[in-house]
Each structure stands twice: as structure tokens, then as C-alpha cells.
């Protein structure tokens, strides 16, 4: 293997218990053109040994048995410049054939910082990502190609008959302006005689408007203020008492109590799958310490070990992370991890969790107050409901970039015009829209 200065081989540490999962991960790293500087069991590994190996990436096979070991290794795993890549140990042990090769290509792309995840021989396939811009301008016609047609048209021009079916009458002339036509219809008024010197008289009362049509150029707006008769004085009765306004029984209206069900049922729903733990970790770590809406996380896990996911995300999230339970109310500024059989329903005072065999339903969210983020591995069945929610006014976004191992659903919403970005970038937009300031007010 050759190493160049422009593309150095990444140094990787593999932390996994002995077994099939560790062997599968070792095989994937062997084909990823990386340098394995450390391979050890996290149960017996010391933090100093991990620091001395100086890895750039740490690949961890997650399982319930190593939860305490990861907490002990937290100082070494939190070193700046160190990137963690998580994989479920049970999934890694069962991964084989085409699925193992596909996952290995995505792992290699993440470790080397590129987006080439196609199998060998498919590098020249055209990109499916739509790019903005106008289509290329077609070439202009050549003048030499048009010259024969121009000469032929010129030779036939004398034989083309003229339009002799209509000729304007001789008494008609060019049209005149409307004002001139109306003025021509006015009767000729005789010139008034010279006025005789006489004593001044009061101005006469204006007569009714004549019925004949006069020149509209002399029209003017009526001064209603001068022509209107003076209003008659209002008679007052000295015996009637003056009305008084009783302010002793006034009270404020509870606007929230009159709000319809679901008006305050907003939430940020995050959907993920394959490659989701790493993307979810990056998204939650970049969120602020306060949000005006609750964060709902749904990521399908084989075996349903959602308690482990809660512990993993609680280490990096500035928001409290807990497992959602039926009957519990979704709290703003907290992260609720949803199991496969937990859904939501809208009430007058917010969202409540309920047992639902089909899991979370996107249609149950209030579009005006909700947001939806599709990360790597999100189910394609959620694309249609997500776009329907966006059409109703919700904010919808999809993950893009090298860390998106399974981009099918996220790319579909991005192609439909939704917001696109890395998890950290999406977290910044969420913080700007629903973050709280120091006083607890919405941004």
C-alpha cells in the first residue's frame, strides 16, 4: 500500500469484544485502506492506551455489555479531533455478502472523507443529484444555410396576391380622442351680452343639474363638506342619568384555553436508520440547551435496545434525553426516544405519547408548529407523509454529505425542494427557528 502526503492513510482504532462482530469490522477496515493502530476489547482497555495509539477514528461495536466500559473511556473518546463511528454489534455479526461489501464502502468513504460509495467499475455513472441552472443555449442557425430560402422567398414575393377584399370608406378618417368627440356633440351656446353695471346681488341658489349631456372636461368633485346641511343639534334630557362603565368584573381571556386541539402540539421529529446513530449524535450535540418544542427521535433498532440509545445520546446532547412512555406528555426542550410501538396524539395542551402498533405517525403532528428531519437510513415510506406535512406548512429537511450511508429517503425530500445539509448545519437552522434565549423566550 502506498501512502502519499496529499492523502495520508487514516489511523483507526477498533474497539469490540472478541467474536463475529469484531471479525467483520476488521475485514471491512482491511479493505478500506486504513491503518489499524489499536484493536482491543473495551472491557479491558485503559484510557491511556487509547490516547497513546493516537487514532484519528475509533470504530466501536455497540452492545449492552460495554456501556460501563465506554463511560470509563469517556475522557479518551472525547479528545478533540477524534471521530467516533458506531455500529451495532449484532448487525455487524450478521452482515455478510453484498450487504457487508456495501457497508464497507460507506465506512471507507467516511474514513477517507469522500463520497465514492459505488462498487468498482461504476465510478463513471452519471450523478443523480439535480443541479440548478439554465439549459445550454442551442447553436444559432448558420447564415449560409438560410440564404437559399431567403433568395427563393424574394423571387416569389411579386406573385403573392395583395389583400383587396376590404378598403375603408372615403368618409372615414383617423380616430380622434374621446374628449374631442364629446366636445363636438355640445350645442353651440350664444355669447352672453355685456353685463350692465348694477348693484351687487347675493349669489343665486344653484339650480338642479341639467339633464342634457355636458362637456365632461369641466366636471369636478362635489365638496360634500360645503354642500351638506348643518347637522341639527342633539337634544339632551337633563333628567336621564349618565351611563357608567363597570370595570369591577373585568378579567383576562385565557387564549390558550380557547386554542383548538393541536395548536400547541408542535415538535421536532427526527427519523433515522442505518448510519443513524452517528448522524443523530452530531445533530443532537449541535442543538442549543433550550428549545421551544420537544424533540422526538425514532430510529429502528434490531432487538429494540432503545435504553442503550438513550444513554449514548445523553452523553453528547445538551438537552435531557429520555425514553418515551405511553401516557407521558412531550416536554419542550427535551429529547424523547420513541420505540417501535409508541405513537403520539395531539391534545389542547400539547403532544402525548400513546401505544401504537404502527409506531409514529407523521400526520399526527401539527404542520404549522412542527419540523421534520430525515437522517441517514430513514424509511422511504415516510417521504410521502413528510412532503404532505411540508405542503401544510411544516419545516422539513434531509441529510446530505459523506456521513449519509443510506440517503434514499433524505435525498427524496431534498429533491422535492426541502432543506438540505449536514446534521450540524441542520441543527443550526433549528436553533435559529426554535431556540430559546437566556430569558427563556423564543428566538
Amino acid at each position: 500500500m502506498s501512502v502519499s502526503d496529499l492523502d495520508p492513510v487514516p489511523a483507526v482504532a477498533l474497539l469490540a469484544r472478541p467474536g463475529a462482530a469484531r471479525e467483520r469490522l476488521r475485514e471491512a477496515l482491511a479493505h478500506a485502506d486504513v491503518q489499524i493502530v489499536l484493536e482491543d476489547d473495551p472491557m479491558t482497555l485503559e484510557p491511556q492506551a487509547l490516547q497513546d495509539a493516537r487514532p484519528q477514528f475509533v470504530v466501536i461495536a455497540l452492545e449492552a455489555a460495554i456501556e460501563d466500559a465506554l463511560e470509563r473511556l469517556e475522557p479518551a473518546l472525547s479528545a478533540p479531533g477524534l471521530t467516533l463511528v458506531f455500529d451495532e454489534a449484532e448487525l455487524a455479526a450478521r452482515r455478510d455478502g453484498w450487504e457487508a461489501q456495501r457497508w464497507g464502502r460507506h465506512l471507507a468513504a467516511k474514513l477517507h472523507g469522500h463520497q465514492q460509495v459505488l462498487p468498482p467499475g461504476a465510478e463513471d455513472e452519471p450523478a443523480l443529484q439535480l443541479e440548478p441552472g439554465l439549459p445550454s443555449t442551442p447553436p444559432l442557425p448558420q447564415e449560409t444555410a438560410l440564404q437559399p430560402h431567403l433568395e427563393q422567398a424574394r423571387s416569389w414575393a411579386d406573385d403573392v396576391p395583395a389583400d383587396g377584399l376590404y378598403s375603408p370608406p372615403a368618409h372615414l378618417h383617423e380616430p380622434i380622442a374621446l374628449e374631442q368627440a364629446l366636445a363636438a356633440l355640445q350645442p353651440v351656446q350664444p355669447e352672453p351680452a355685456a353685463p350692465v353695471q348694477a348693484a351687487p346681488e347675493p349669489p343665486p341658489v344653484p339650480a338642479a343639474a341639467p339633464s342634457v349631456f355636458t362637456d365632461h372636461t369641466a366636471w369636478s368633485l362635489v365638496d360634500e363638506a360645503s354642500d351638506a346641511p348643518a347637522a341639527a343639534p342633539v337634544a339632551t334630557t337633563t333628567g336621564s342619568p349618565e351611563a357608567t362603565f363597570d370595570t369591577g368584573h373585568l378579567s383576562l381571556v385565557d387564549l390558550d384555553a380557547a386554542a383548538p386541539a393541536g395548536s400547541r402540539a408542535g415538535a421536532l421529529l427526527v427519523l433515522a436508520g442505518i448510519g443513524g446513530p452517528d448522524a443523530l449524535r452530531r445533530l443532537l450535540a449541535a442543538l442549543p440547551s433550550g428549545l421551544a418544542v420537544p424533540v422526538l427521535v425514532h430510529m429502528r433498532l434490531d432487538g429494540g435496545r432503545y435504553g442503550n440509545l438513550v444513554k449514548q445520546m445523553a452523553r453528547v446532547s445538551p438537552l435531557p434525553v429520555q425514553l418515551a412512555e405511553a401516557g407521558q406528555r412531550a416536554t419542550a426542550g427535551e429529547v424523547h426516544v420513541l420505540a417501535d410501538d409508541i405513537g403520539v396524539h395531539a391534545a389542547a395542551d400539547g403532544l402525548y405519547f400513546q401505544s401504537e402498533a404502527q409506531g409514529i405517525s407523521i400526520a399526527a403532528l401539527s404542520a404549522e408548529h412542527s419540523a421534520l428531519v430525515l437522517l441517514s437510513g430513514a424509511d422511504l415510506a415516510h417521504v410521502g407523509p413528510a412532503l404532505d406535512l411540508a405542503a401544510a406548512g411544516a419545516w422539513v429537511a434531509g441529510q446530505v454529505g459523506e456521513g449519509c450511508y443510506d440517503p434514499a429517503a433524505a435525498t427524496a425530500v431534498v429533491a422535492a425542494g426541502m432543506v438540505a445539509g449536514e446534521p450540524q448545519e441542520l441543527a443550526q437552522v433549528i436553533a435559529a427557528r426554535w431556540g430559546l434565549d437566556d430569558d427563556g423566550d423564543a428566538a
Side-chain angles (χ1 to χ4, degrees):
M1 142 187 356
S2 62
V3 180
S4 65
D5 295 336
L6 297 178
D7 186 18
V9 176
V12 180
L14 173 59
L15 302 185
R17 299 179 65 194
R22 183 167 169 176
E23 295 176 1
R24 294 289 188 274
L25 291 175
R26 186 191 307 115
E27 293 174 359
L29 292 175
H31 291 85
D33 193 19
V34 299
Q35 180 184 3
I36 302 179
V37 296
L38 177 65
E39 178 180 344
D40 205 341
D41 186 351
M43 303 290 292
T44 59
L45 178 64
E46 295 297 331
Q48 187 60 40
L50 180 59
Q51 294 177 357
D52 295 341
R54 299 183 180 278
Q56 299 171 274
F57 297 88
V58 178
V59 179
I60 303 175
L62 287 176
E63 52 183 323
I66 68 169
E67 289 295 331
D68 296 336
L70 292 181
E71 294 182 2
R72 181 172 51 83
L73 297 173
E74 180 69 21
L77 295 176
S78 302
L82 185 63
T83 301
L84 305 182
V85 180
F86 296 97
D87 189 19
E88 289 287 337
E90 184 178 352
L91 291 178
R94 295 202 312 261
R95 198 178 289 124
D96 194 8
W98 177 87
E99 184 180 2
Q101 296 177 6
R102 176 177 174 273
W103 189 90
R105 292 193 300 269
H106 283 87
L107 178 62
K110 181 175 184 60
L111 297 179
H112 286 276
H114 60 74
Q115 300 182 6
Q116 178 54 259
V117 296
L118 298 177
E123 292 82 357
D124 297 333
E125 292 186 2
L128 299 180
Q129 183 70 26
L130 299 179
E131 296 181 358
L134 296 175
S136 57
T137 305
L140 298 176
Q142 298 294 332
E143 184 178 357
T144 56
L146 294 178
Q147 192 62 31
H149 302 282
L150 296 176
E151 295 178 356
Q152 185 181 28
R154 190 179 299 108
S155 63
W156 290 353
D158 298 335
D159 300 334
V160 177
D163 188 2
L165 298 180
Y166 172 80
S167 59
H171 66 279
L172 294 182
H173 50 78
E174 292 293 331
I176 61 177
L178 176 62
E179 288 79 3
Q180 299 177 2
L182 293 176
L185 299 177
Q186 301 296 325
V188 179
Q189 299 292 340
E191 296 183 359
V196 180
Q197 295 292 334
E201 296 181 358
V205 178
S211 58
V212 296
F213 189 81
T214 57
D215 184 7
H216 78 281
T217 58
W219 294 351
S220 62
L221 297 177
V222 177
D223 189 358
E224 296 181 357
S226 61
D227 296 342
V234 179
T236 59
T237 304
T238 59
S240 60
E242 184 178 357
T244 61
F245 188 75
D246 185 10
T247 61
H249 298 83
L250 295 180
S251 62
L252 297 177
V253 178
D254 188 1
L255 297 179
D256 290 340
S263 62
R264 291 178 292 169
L268 167 62
L269 176 59
V270 182
L271 303 174
I274 298 177
D278 181 60
L280 179 61
R281 171 181 170 273
R282 294 158 59 192
L283 176 71
L284 295 182
L287 289 178
S289 58
L291 282 180
V293 293
V295 181
L296 313 182
V297 174
H298 177 61
M299 183 174 64
R300 291 191 178 274
L301 296 176
D302 292 341
R305 293 190 299 274
Y306 291 98
N308 296 341
L309 181 62
V310 170
K311 294 180 181 179
Q312 297 168 20
M313 298 306 153
R315 296 192 186 101
V316 298
S317 173
L319 301 174
V321 184
Q322 58 179 315
L323 187 63
E325 298 180 358
Q328 178 187 6
R329 180 175 177 270
T331 305
E334 295 186 5
V335 179
H336 303 271
V337 177
L338 309 180
D340 294 340
D341 58 349
I342 294 294
V344 295
H345 73 277
D349 57 345
L351 283 177
Y352 283 84
F353 302 114
Q354 64 181 5
S355 297
E356 190 71 37
Q358 303 299 327
I360 182 67
S361 174
I362 296 178
L365 299 178
S366 171
E368 183 180 357
H369 305 87
S370 297
L372 182 60
V373 177
L374 281 75
L375 298 179
S376 174
D379 194 344
L380 275 172
H382 290 145
V383 174
L387 296 180
D388 293 339
L389 197 70
W395 182 85
V396 179
Q399 177 189 358
V400 297
E402 61 184 24
C404 194
Y405 297 131
D406 186 4
T411 303
V413 297
V414 171
M418 302 298 104
V419 181
E422 293 275 359
Q424 301 92 323
E425 298 172 347
L426 299 180
Q428 294 176 1
V429 179
I430 293 170
R433 292 173 62 94
W434 293 280
L436 299 179
D437 55 20
D438 296 336
D439 298 330
D441 299 327

